[in-house]
Amino acid sequence: MNVIPVSRAHRGSPAPGRRRAGVPTYLLLGAIVALSVFPLYWSMVASSQDDSAAGRWPPPLLPGTHLLANLRHAFAQGAFGLALLNSTIIATTVTLSVVLTSTLAGFAFAKLRFRGRSAMLVFLVVTMMVPAQLGIIPLYIMMAQWLGWTGHLQAVIVPAATSAFGVFLMRQYLSEALPNELLEAGRVDGCSTTRLYWHVVLPAARPAAAVLALFTFMGAWNDFFWPLLALGQSNPTVQVALSTLAGGYYMSYTLVLAGTLISTAPILLVFVVLGRQIIGGIMQGAIKA
């Protein structure tokens, strides 16, 4: 059998229809990354300086020596230890609850047949159009007078335990990513609906669930208005604690930036943990397209 040699020119050549990124593309991407990272980097630099560095021009670009002192002051003045604990409990519990309920309901709307499915889905979408601010007053009356939960973490966790957007997102994703043949094969093997959910649906929904978990964690972590009403400043979350640092007759910008640096670190950690699943979901969608 004759072997056709492959020239060196064609070994590293890109596939037909594909073009390699040139130098301008890398320069543009590098500029976008630099513009995106610079505010966070400058916050870290400014939080390590004294108050005079916040309004200095040109701004300092190298870290100073006051970072630990500003962090200690932020923890002491803004009760950041308790605030971090409360925000971690609230954001983690809400994220797990939303992902669980959204994947369950999304699987039911996408693959199960039952009466009233279309009407319930339409009602679910309609609830997404109602501003959340319209329900603040009756929700506060319910928490304060009926349940007596004001000042306790369940007043923030329970109203956010489900998400209409999460159910709709998982329904749309599972409709395309979960083949009916896979569910039928599981039923032939003797799986119940619960076992199908744990062993078939959840692995298939992992990329979308990671995206939903990231958005939910960020929303619960950055929420300010409802935790301020339901918990107050005696049992604060991170955002409420930040507002106490920014209040008063004199605002220390370096102290506020130190608190902001503390509140940003958990979100970055969650993104690093879930980033692999998110990128996998993006690549999976690109391959399907």
Side-chain angles (χ1 to χ4, degrees):
M1 182 177 61
N2 296 328
V3 179
I4 301 177
V6 180
S7 62
R8 294 183 178 179
H10 292 84
R11 289 178 182 175
S13 60
R18 296 183 181 180
R19 298 177 58 186
R20 287 186 175 180
V23 175
T25 302
Y26 286 107
L27 291 178
L28 178 61
L29 293 176
I32 294 174
V33 171
L35 290 176
S36 302
V37 174
F38 180 76
L40 181 62
Y41 174 75
W42 185 82
S43 298
M44 182 188 69
V45 171
S47 62
S48 64
Q49 305 281 344
D50 54 6
D51 288 335
S52 62
R56 189 183 307 167
W57 184 261
L61 298 179
L62 296 177
T65 58
H66 296 77
L67 179 60
L68 294 179
N70 291 333
L71 291 177
R72 285 195 298 267
H73 194 187
F75 270 95
Q77 181 175 339
F80 258 83
L82 178 61
L84 282 174
L85 179 61
N86 290 341
S87 291
T88 302
I89 294 174
I90 291 172
T92 303
T93 306
V94 168
T95 300
L96 293 177
S97 176
V98 167
V99 171
L100 179 63
T101 56
S102 297
T103 50
L104 279 170
F107 168 55
F109 280 119
K111 297 300 179 180
L112 301 182
R113 299 292 181 264
F114 53 92
R115 290 185 178 181
R117 184 184 67 164
S118 300
M120 293 176 63
L121 183 61
V122 171
F123 177 77
L124 182 73
V125 175
V126 170
T127 60
M128 297 169 57
M129 304 177 186
V130 180
Q133 290 78 8
L134 294 179
I136 289 295
I137 295 177
L139 182 60
Y140 182 81
I141 294 175
M142 182 186 302
M143 294 296 169
Q145 298 182 4
W146 297 0
L147 300 175
W149 284 357
T150 52
H152 301 280
L153 298 185
Q154 58 264 31
V156 180
I157 294 174
V158 174
T162 59
S163 170
F165 169 75
V167 174
F168 183 74
L169 174 66
M170 298 308 302
R171 186 261 177 191
Q172 296 298 107
Y173 182 83
L174 291 175
S175 297
E176 299 293 334
L178 186 62
N180 293 327
E181 294 78 9
L182 192 60
L183 297 176
E184 293 174 359
R187 290 192 178 97
V188 169
D189 290 339
C191 289
S192 61
T193 304
T194 305
R195 290 188 62 188
L196 281 176
Y197 170 75
W198 286 109
H199 298 287
V200 178
V201 177
L202 277 184
R206 190 178 301 169
V211 176
L212 178 61
L214 178 61
F215 288 162
T216 304
F217 188 91
M218 289 178 58
W221 187 270
N222 294 326
D223 193 13
F224 170 75
F225 185 57
W226 177 242
L228 179 62
L229 293 178
L231 300 179
Q233 297 183 358
S234 60
N235 193 23
T237 58
V238 166
Q239 305 305 323
V240 178
L242 278 177
S243 67
T244 61
L245 292 178
Y249 294 101
Y250 172 75
M251 182 173 64
S252 175
Y253 289 99
T254 56
L255 191 61
V256 173
L257 290 174
T260 304
L261 185 66
I262 298 172
S263 64
T264 307
I267 297 180
L268 296 178
L269 179 62
V270 171
F271 181 79
V272 170
V273 173
L274 299 177
R276 185 175 181 181
Q277 298 295 332
I278 294 173
I279 295 175
I282 295 174
M283 295 302 297
Q284 182 178 2
I287 293 174
K288 287 183 178 180

mmCIF file of all heavy atoms in Angstrom, residues 205-248:
data_model
loop_
_atom_site.group_PDB
_atom_site.id
_atom_site.type_symbol
_atom_site.label_atom_id
_atom_site.label_comp_id
_atom_site.label_asym_id
_atom_site.label_seq_id
_atom_site.Cartn_x
_atom_site.Cartn_y
_atom_site.Cartn_z
ATOM 1 N N ALA A 205 -28.100 18.067 33.181
ATOM 2 C CA ALA A 205 -28.373 19.483 33.459
ATOM 3 C C ALA A 205 -27.213 20.180 34.143
ATOM 4 O O ALA A 205 -27.362 21.341 34.547
ATOM 5 C CB ALA A 205 -29.622 19.593 34.323
ATOM 6 N N ARG A 206 -26.073 19.529 34.300
ATOM 7 C CA ARG A 206 -24.977 20.096 35.076
ATOM 8 C C ARG A 206 -24.466 21.430 34.535
ATOM 9 O O ARG A 206 -24.274 22.378 35.317
ATOM 10 C CB ARG A 206 -23.829 19.091 35.160
ATOM 11 C CG ARG A 206 -22.727 19.485 36.140
ATOM 12 C CD ARG A 206 -21.672 18.410 36.188
ATOM 13 N NE ARG A 206 -22.241 17.128 36.589
ATOM 14 C CZ ARG A 206 -21.596 15.976 36.520
ATOM 15 N NH1 ARG A 206 -20.350 15.947 36.047
ATOM 16 N NH2 ARG A 206 -22.174 14.868 36.920
ATOM 17 N N PRO A 207 -24.246 21.615 33.223
ATOM 18 C CA PRO A 207 -23.758 22.932 32.764
ATOM 19 C C PRO A 207 -24.742 24.057 33.036
ATOM 20 O O PRO A 207 -24.362 25.117 33.539
ATOM 21 C CB PRO A 207 -23.541 22.718 31.258
ATOM 22 C CG PRO A 207 -23.363 21.252 31.096
ATOM 23 C CD PRO A 207 -24.247 20.624 32.116
ATOM 24 N N ALA A 208 -26.026 23.843 32.715
ATOM 25 C CA ALA A 208 -27.016 24.890 32.970
ATOM 26 C C ALA A 208 -27.208 25.111 34.460
ATOM 27 O O ALA A 208 -27.432 26.244 34.905
ATOM 28 C CB ALA A 208 -28.344 24.519 32.311
ATOM 29 N N ALA A 209 -27.132 24.054 35.256
ATOM 30 C CA ALA A 209 -27.257 24.197 36.704
ATOM 31 C C ALA A 209 -26.101 25.009 37.272
ATOM 32 O O ALA A 209 -26.281 25.776 38.232
ATOM 33 C CB ALA A 209 -27.322 22.826 37.366
ATOM 34 N N ALA A 210 -24.902 24.878 36.706
ATOM 35 C CA ALA A 210 -23.759 25.669 37.165
ATOM 36 C C ALA A 210 -23.965 27.145 36.866
ATOM 37 O O ALA A 210 -23.664 28.009 37.701
ATOM 38 C CB ALA A 210 -22.476 25.159 36.511
ATOM 39 N N VAL A 211 -24.480 27.448 35.679
ATOM 40 C CA VAL A 211 -24.770 28.847 35.337
ATOM 41 C C VAL A 211 -25.837 29.411 36.269
ATOM 42 O O VAL A 211 -25.723 30.527 36.781
ATOM 43 C CB VAL A 211 -25.208 28.950 33.867
ATOM 44 C CG1 VAL A 211 -25.600 30.384 33.517
ATOM 45 C CG2 VAL A 211 -24.092 28.481 32.942
ATOM 46 N N LEU A 212 -26.902 28.647 36.482
ATOM 47 C CA LEU A 212 -27.965 29.090 37.377
ATOM 48 C C LEU A 212 -27.446 29.270 38.802
ATOM 49 O O LEU A 212 -27.832 30.231 39.490
ATOM 50 C CB LEU A 212 -29.113 28.079 37.350
ATOM 51 C CG LEU A 212 -30.302 28.370 38.270
ATOM 52 C CD1 LEU A 212 -30.955 29.692 37.901
ATOM 53 C CD2 LEU A 212 -31.312 27.232 38.204
ATOM 54 N N ALA A 213 -26.589 28.373 39.246
ATOM 55 C CA ALA A 213 -26.030 28.493 40.589
ATOM 56 C C ALA A 213 -25.187 29.752 40.728
ATOM 57 O O ALA A 213 -25.254 30.451 41.758
ATOM 58 C CB ALA A 213 -25.186 27.254 40.916
ATOM 59 N N LEU A 214 -24.403 30.081 39.700
ATOM 60 C CA LEU A 214 -23.578 31.290 39.761
ATOM 61 C C LEU A 214 -24.449 32.538 39.811
ATOM 62 O O LEU A 214 -24.229 33.434 40.642
ATOM 63 C CB LEU A 214 -22.636 31.338 38.557
ATOM 64 C CG LEU A 214 -21.748 32.580 38.468
ATOM 65 C CD1 LEU A 214 -20.828 32.677 39.675
ATOM 66 C CD2 LEU A 214 -20.931 32.564 37.182
ATOM 67 N N PHE A 215 -25.445 32.636 38.933
ATOM 68 C CA PHE A 215 -26.324 33.804 38.925
ATOM 69 C C PHE A 215 -27.098 33.927 40.247
ATOM 70 O O PHE A 215 -27.268 35.024 40.781
ATOM 71 C CB PHE A 215 -27.303 33.718 37.756
ATOM 72 C CG PHE A 215 -26.667 33.959 36.422
ATOM 73 C CD1 PHE A 215 -27.293 33.569 35.252
ATOM 74 C CD2 PHE A 215 -25.433 34.568 36.329
ATOM 75 C CE1 PHE A 215 -26.707 33.791 34.018
ATOM 76 C CE2 PHE A 215 -24.830 34.793 35.102
ATOM 77 C CZ PHE A 215 -25.470 34.406 33.941
ATOM 78 N N THR A 216 -27.569 32.791 40.766
ATOM 79 C CA THR A 216 -28.338 32.825 42.014
ATOM 80 C C THR A 216 -27.462 33.236 43.178
ATOM 81 O O THR A 216 -27.874 34.032 44.039
ATOM 82 C CB THR A 216 -28.963 31.450 42.278
ATOM 83 O OG1 THR A 216 -29.753 31.058 41.149
ATOM 84 C CG2 THR A 216 -29.845 31.486 43.505
ATOM 85 N N PHE A 217 -26.251 32.695 43.246
ATOM 86 C CA PHE A 217 -25.337 33.059 44.334
ATOM 87 C C PHE A 217 -25.002 34.541 44.274
ATOM 88 O O PHE A 217 -24.995 35.226 45.311
ATOM 89 C CB PHE A 217 -24.071 32.219 44.251
ATOM 90 C CG PHE A 217 -23.157 32.373 45.435
ATOM 91 C CD1 PHE A 217 -23.291 31.531 46.530
ATOM 92 C CD2 PHE A 217 -22.178 33.355 45.466
ATOM 93 C CE1 PHE A 217 -22.453 31.674 47.638
ATOM 94 C CE2 PHE A 217 -21.349 33.514 46.562
ATOM 95 C CZ PHE A 217 -21.486 32.661 47.649
ATOM 96 N N MET A 218 -24.726 35.052 43.084
ATOM 97 C CA MET A 218 -24.419 36.478 42.955
ATOM 98 C C MET A 218 -25.616 37.336 43.366
ATOM 99 O O MET A 218 -25.463 38.360 44.052
ATOM 100 C CB MET A 218 -24.018 36.789 41.516
ATOM 101 C CG MET A 218 -22.668 36.238 41.106
ATOM 102 S SD MET A 218 -22.287 36.592 39.377
ATOM 103 C CE MET A 218 -22.369 38.375 39.357
ATOM 104 N N GLY A 219 -26.831 36.942 42.940
ATOM 105 C CA GLY A 219 -28.002 37.716 43.307
ATOM 106 C C GLY A 219 -28.269 37.718 44.798
ATOM 107 O O GLY A 219 -28.585 38.759 45.389
ATOM 108 N N ALA A 220 -28.127 36.540 45.431
ATOM 109 C CA ALA A 220 -28.348 36.464 46.878
ATOM 110 C C ALA A 220 -27.237 37.179 47.648
ATOM 111 O O ALA A 220 -27.494 37.792 48.691
ATOM 112 C CB ALA A 220 -28.438 34.998 47.318
ATOM 113 N N TRP A 221 -26.019 37.101 47.162
ATOM 114 C CA TRP A 221 -24.895 37.745 47.856
ATOM 115 C C TRP A 221 -24.969 39.266 47.741
ATOM 116 O O TRP A 221 -24.647 39.982 48.690
ATOM 117 C CB TRP A 221 -23.583 37.242 47.270
ATOM 118 C CG TRP A 221 -22.370 37.715 48.015
ATOM 119 C CD1 TRP A 221 -21.643 38.852 47.785
ATOM 120 C CD2 TRP A 221 -21.735 37.068 49.127
ATOM 121 N NE1 TRP A 221 -20.611 38.952 48.675
ATOM 122 C CE2 TRP A 221 -20.630 37.864 49.501
ATOM 123 C CE3 TRP A 221 -21.989 35.887 49.819
ATOM 124 C CZ2 TRP A 221 -19.797 37.517 50.551
ATOM 125 C CZ3 TRP A 221 -21.154 35.548 50.863
ATOM 126 C CH2 TRP A 221 -20.069 36.357 51.221
ATOM 127 N N ASN A 222 -25.408 39.776 46.589
ATOM 128 C CA ASN A 222 -25.435 41.221 46.359
ATOM 129 C C ASN A 222 -26.762 41.869 46.749
ATOM 130 O O ASN A 222 -26.901 43.089 46.595
ATOM 131 C CB ASN A 222 -25.148 41.517 44.886
ATOM 132 C CG ASN A 222 -23.740 41.146 44.488
ATOM 133 O OD1 ASN A 222 -22.811 41.257 45.283
ATOM 134 N ND2 ASN A 222 -23.574 40.694 43.250
ATOM 135 N N ASP A 223 -27.730 41.088 47.200
ATOM 136 C CA ASP A 223 -29.019 41.658 47.567
ATOM 137 C C ASP A 223 -28.865 42.598 48.763
ATOM 138 O O ASP A 223 -28.187 42.262 49.743
ATOM 139 C CB ASP A 223 -30.008 40.537 47.893
ATOM 140 C CG ASP A 223 -31.431 41.056 47.978
ATOM 141 O OD1 ASP A 223 -31.675 42.205 47.538
ATOM 142 O OD2 ASP A 223 -32.304 40.327 48.465
ATOM 143 N N PHE A 224 -29.508 43.751 48.668
ATOM 144 C CA PHE A 224 -29.365 44.755 49.723
ATOM 145 C C PHE A 224 -30.701 45.175 50.328
ATOM 146 O O PHE A 224 -30.850 45.226 51.556
ATOM 147 C CB PHE A 224 -28.644 45.994 49.170
ATOM 148 C CG PHE A 224 -28.657 47.176 50.099
ATOM 149 C CD1 PHE A 224 -27.839 47.198 51.218
ATOM 150 C CD2 PHE A 224 -29.490 48.260 49.858
ATOM 151 C CE1 PHE A 224 -27.860 48.279 52.098
ATOM 152 C CE2 PHE A 224 -29.510 49.343 50.723
ATOM 153 C CZ PHE A 224 -28.694 49.360 51.840
ATOM 154 N N PHE A 225 -31.694 45.464 49.486
ATOM 155 C CA PHE A 225 -32.915 46.093 49.975
ATOM 156 C C PHE A 225 -33.703 45.192 50.921
ATOM 157 O O PHE A 225 -34.044 45.597 52.038
ATOM 158 C CB PHE A 225 -33.787 46.512 48.777
ATOM 159 C CG PHE A 225 -35.012 47.283 49.164
ATOM 160 C CD1 PHE A 225 -34.905 48.450 49.894
ATOM 161 C CD2 PHE A 225 -36.265 46.844 48.798
ATOM 162 C CE1 PHE A 225 -36.027 49.165 50.265
ATOM 163 C CE2 PHE A 225 -37.396 47.545 49.159
ATOM 164 C CZ PHE A 225 -37.283 48.713 49.890
ATOM 165 N N TRP A 226 -33.984 43.950 50.487
ATOM 166 C CA TRP A 226 -34.785 43.073 51.340
ATOM 167 C C TRP A 226 -34.036 42.643 52.602
ATOM 168 O O TRP A 226 -34.626 42.641 53.683
ATOM 169 C CB TRP A 226 -35.268 41.872 50.548
ATOM 170 C CG TRP A 226 -36.032 40.886 51.367
ATOM 171 C CD1 TRP A 226 -35.711 39.592 51.623
ATOM 172 C CD2 TRP A 226 -37.259 41.135 52.078
ATOM 173 N NE1 TRP A 226 -36.643 39.002 52.435
ATOM 174 C CE2 TRP A 226 -37.607 39.933 52.737
ATOM 175 C CE3 TRP A 226 -38.078 42.244 52.230
ATOM 176 C CZ2 TRP A 226 -38.744 39.814 53.523
ATOM 177 C CZ3 TRP A 226 -39.213 42.136 53.015
ATOM 178 C CH2 TRP A 226 -39.541 40.928 53.648
ATOM 179 N N PRO A 227 -32.746 42.283 52.564
ATOM 180 C CA PRO A 227 -32.051 41.998 53.830
ATOM 181 C C PRO A 227 -32.016 43.188 54.775
ATOM 182 O O PRO A 227 -32.064 43.011 55.999
ATOM 183 C CB PRO A 227 -30.641 41.602 53.382
ATOM 184 C CG PRO A 227 -30.829 41.056 52.018
ATOM 185 C CD PRO A 227 -31.909 41.899 51.408
ATOM 186 N N LEU A 228 -31.949 44.413 54.234
ATOM 187 C CA LEU A 228 -31.972 45.583 55.101
ATOM 188 C C LEU A 228 -33.301 45.715 55.824
ATOM 189 O O LEU A 228 -33.352 46.055 57.015
ATOM 190 C CB LEU A 228 -31.693 46.841 54.275
ATOM 191 C CG LEU A 228 -31.714 48.177 55.028
ATOM 192 C CD1 LEU A 228 -30.625 48.211 56.092
ATOM 193 C CD2 LEU A 228 -31.567 49.339 54.060
ATOM 194 N N LEU A 229 -34.418 45.411 55.133
ATOM 195 C CA LEU A 229 -35.732 45.493 55.760
ATOM 196 C C LEU A 229 -35.979 44.323 56.710
ATOM 197 O O LEU A 229 -36.500 44.503 57.814
ATOM 198 C CB LEU A 229 -36.826 45.515 54.680
ATOM 199 C CG LEU A 229 -36.895 46.740 53.772
ATOM 200 C CD1 LEU A 229 -37.996 46.571 52.752
ATOM 201 C CD2 LEU A 229 -37.107 48.009 54.578
ATOM 202 N N ALA A 230 -35.610 43.112 56.267
ATOM 203 C CA ALA A 230 -35.953 41.916 57.044
ATOM 204 C C ALA A 230 -35.001 41.661 58.204
ATOM 205 O O ALA A 230 -35.417 41.133 59.239
ATOM 206 C CB ALA A 230 -35.981 40.697 56.123
ATOM 207 N N LEU A 231 -33.739 42.016 58.056
ATOM 208 C CA LEU A 231 -32.747 41.718 59.092
ATOM 209 C C LEU A 231 -32.310 42.942 59.875
ATOM 210 O O LEU A 231 -32.044 42.855 61.070
ATOM 211 C CB LEU A 231 -31.517 41.045 58.467
ATOM 212 C CG LEU A 231 -31.765 39.726 57.734
ATOM 213 C CD1 LEU A 231 -30.458 39.213 57.149
ATOM 214 C CD2 LEU A 231 -32.374 38.689 58.665
ATOM 215 N N GLY A 232 -32.207 44.077 59.177
ATOM 216 C CA GLY A 232 -31.734 45.278 59.841
ATOM 217 C C GLY A 232 -30.223 45.272 60.014
ATOM 218 O O GLY A 232 -29.517 44.357 59.579
ATOM 219 N N GLN A 233 -29.715 46.280 60.672
ATOM 220 C CA GLN A 233 -28.277 46.418 60.874
ATOM 221 C C GLN A 233 -27.763 45.644 62.086
ATOM 222 O O GLN A 233 -26.556 45.546 62.284
ATOM 223 C CB GLN A 233 -27.916 47.898 61.022
ATOM 224 C CG GLN A 233 -28.212 48.718 59.768
ATOM 225 C CD GLN A 233 -27.778 50.164 59.901
ATOM 226 O OE1 GLN A 233 -27.292 50.574 60.952
ATOM 227 N NE2 GLN A 233 -27.946 50.933 58.841
ATOM 228 N N SER A 234 -28.663 45.097 62.888
ATOM 229 C CA SER A 234 -28.219 44.300 64.031
ATOM 230 C C SER A 234 -27.794 42.892 63.626
ATOM 231 O O SER A 234 -27.000 42.259 64.326
ATOM 232 C CB SER A 234 -29.333 44.220 65.074
ATOM 233 O OG SER A 234 -30.497 43.617 64.511
ATOM 234 N N ASN A 235 -28.323 42.397 62.520
ATOM 235 C CA ASN A 235 -27.961 41.065 62.017
ATOM 236 C C ASN A 235 -27.697 41.189 60.518
ATOM 237 O O ASN A 235 -28.450 40.671 59.695
ATOM 238 C CB ASN A 235 -29.098 40.073 62.292
ATOM 239 C CG ASN A 235 -28.666 38.635 62.093
ATOM 240 O OD1 ASN A 235 -27.489 38.298 62.151
ATOM 241 N ND2 ASN A 235 -29.624 37.757 61.827
ATOM 242 N N PRO A 236 -26.619 41.873 60.126
ATOM 243 C CA PRO A 236 -26.483 42.322 58.735
ATOM 244 C C PRO A 236 -25.942 41.247 57.808
ATOM 245 O O PRO A 236 -25.371 40.239 58.229
ATOM 246 C CB PRO A 236 -25.485 43.477 58.858
ATOM 247 C CG PRO A 236 -24.589 43.049 59.982
ATOM 248 C CD PRO A 236 -25.480 42.310 60.950
ATOM 249 N N THR A 237 -26.153 41.500 56.527
ATOM 250 C CA THR A 237 -25.439 40.783 55.481
ATOM 251 C C THR A 237 -24.260 41.649 55.022
ATOM 252 O O THR A 237 -24.046 42.755 55.542
ATOM 253 C CB THR A 237 -26.362 40.472 54.300
ATOM 254 O OG1 THR A 237 -26.903 41.700 53.777
ATOM 255 C CG2 THR A 237 -27.503 39.562 54.727
ATOM 256 N N VAL A 238 -23.516 41.170 54.042
ATOM 257 C CA VAL A 238 -22.325 41.902 53.603
ATOM 258 C C VAL A 238 -22.689 43.262 53.038
ATOM 259 O O VAL A 238 -22.041 44.276 53.338
ATOM 260 C CB VAL A 238 -21.552 41.051 52.573
ATOM 261 C CG1 VAL A 238 -20.520 41.904 51.859
ATOM 262 C CG2 VAL A 238 -20.849 39.894 53.263
ATOM 263 N N GLN A 239 -23.734 43.310 52.214
ATOM 264 C CA GLN A 239 -24.088 44.580 51.584
ATOM 265 C C GLN A 239 -24.603 45.582 52.612
ATOM 266 O O GLN A 239 -24.348 46.788 52.500
ATOM 267 C CB GLN A 239 -25.136 44.337 50.492
ATOM 268 C CG GLN A 239 -24.735 43.316 49.460
ATOM 269 C CD GLN A 239 -23.415 43.623 48.808
ATOM 270 O OE1 GLN A 239 -23.088 44.775 48.549
ATOM 271 N NE2 GLN A 239 -22.629 42.586 48.522
ATOM 272 N N VAL A 240 -25.335 45.118 53.600
ATOM 273 C CA VAL A 240 -25.792 46.013 54.666
ATOM 274 C C VAL A 240 -24.608 46.512 55.489
ATOM 275 O O VAL A 240 -24.543 47.686 55.890
ATOM 276 C CB VAL A 240 -26.826 45.293 55.558
ATOM 277 C CG1 VAL A 240 -27.261 46.195 56.703
ATOM 278 C CG2 VAL A 240 -28.035 44.880 54.733
ATOM 279 N N ALA A 241 -23.641 45.637 55.744
ATOM 280 C CA ALA A 241 -22.442 46.050 56.472
ATOM 281 C C ALA A 241 -21.646 47.080 55.671
ATOM 282 O O ALA A 241 -21.064 48.008 56.241
ATOM 283 C CB ALA A 241 -21.579 44.838 56.791
ATOM 284 N N LEU A 242 -21.612 46.921 54.343
ATOM 285 C CA LEU A 242 -20.927 47.913 53.513
ATOM 286 C C LEU A 242 -21.601 49.274 53.606
ATOM 287 O O LEU A 242 -20.934 50.304 53.571
ATOM 288 C CB LEU A 242 -20.897 47.444 52.059
ATOM 289 C CG LEU A 242 -19.806 46.454 51.667
ATOM 290 C CD1 LEU A 242 -19.968 46.038 50.208
ATOM 291 C CD2 LEU A 242 -18.428 47.055 51.891
ATOM 292 N N SER A 243 -22.927 49.289 53.691
ATOM 293 C CA SER A 243 -23.634 50.567 53.785
ATOM 294 C C SER A 243 -23.301 51.289 55.090
ATOM 295 O O SER A 243 -23.293 52.523 55.137
ATOM 296 C CB SER A 243 -25.135 50.342 53.686
ATOM 297 O OG SER A 243 -25.635 49.645 54.810
ATOM 298 N N THR A 244 -23.033 50.547 56.155
ATOM 299 C CA THR A 244 -22.640 51.193 57.405
ATOM 300 C C THR A 244 -21.246 51.796 57.300
ATOM 301 O O THR A 244 -20.962 52.817 57.924
ATOM 302 C CB THR A 244 -22.674 50.179 58.560
ATOM 303 O OG1 THR A 244 -21.738 49.116 58.290
ATOM 304 C CG2 THR A 244 -24.062 49.587 58.712
ATOM 305 N N LEU A 245 -20.366 51.175 56.507
ATOM 306 C CA LEU A 245 -19.039 51.756 56.300
ATOM 307 C C LEU A 245 -19.116 53.039 55.503
ATOM 308 O O LEU A 245 -18.309 53.959 55.708
ATOM 309 C CB LEU A 245 -18.129 50.758 55.574
ATOM 310 C CG LEU A 245 -17.726 49.500 56.333
ATOM 311 C CD1 LEU A 245 -16.861 48.617 55.445
ATOM 312 C CD2 LEU A 245 -17.001 49.831 57.621
ATOM 313 N N ALA A 246 -20.075 53.116 54.564
ATOM 314 C CA ALA A 246 -20.192 54.304 53.711
ATOM 315 C C ALA A 246 -21.002 55.414 54.366
ATOM 316 O O ALA A 246 -21.120 56.498 53.802
ATOM 317 C CB ALA A 246 -20.845 53.921 52.371
ATOM 318 N N GLY A 247 -21.617 55.154 55.526
ATOM 319 C CA GLY A 247 -22.424 56.167 56.182
ATOM 320 C C GLY A 247 -21.601 57.034 57.108
ATOM 321 O O GLY A 247 -20.398 56.856 57.304
ATOM 322 N N GLY A 248 -22.280 58.015 57.701
ATOM 323 C CA GLY A 248 -21.607 58.906 58.638
ATOM 324 C C GLY A 248 -21.235 60.231 58.003
ATOM 325 O O GLY A 248 -21.422 60.460 56.796
#
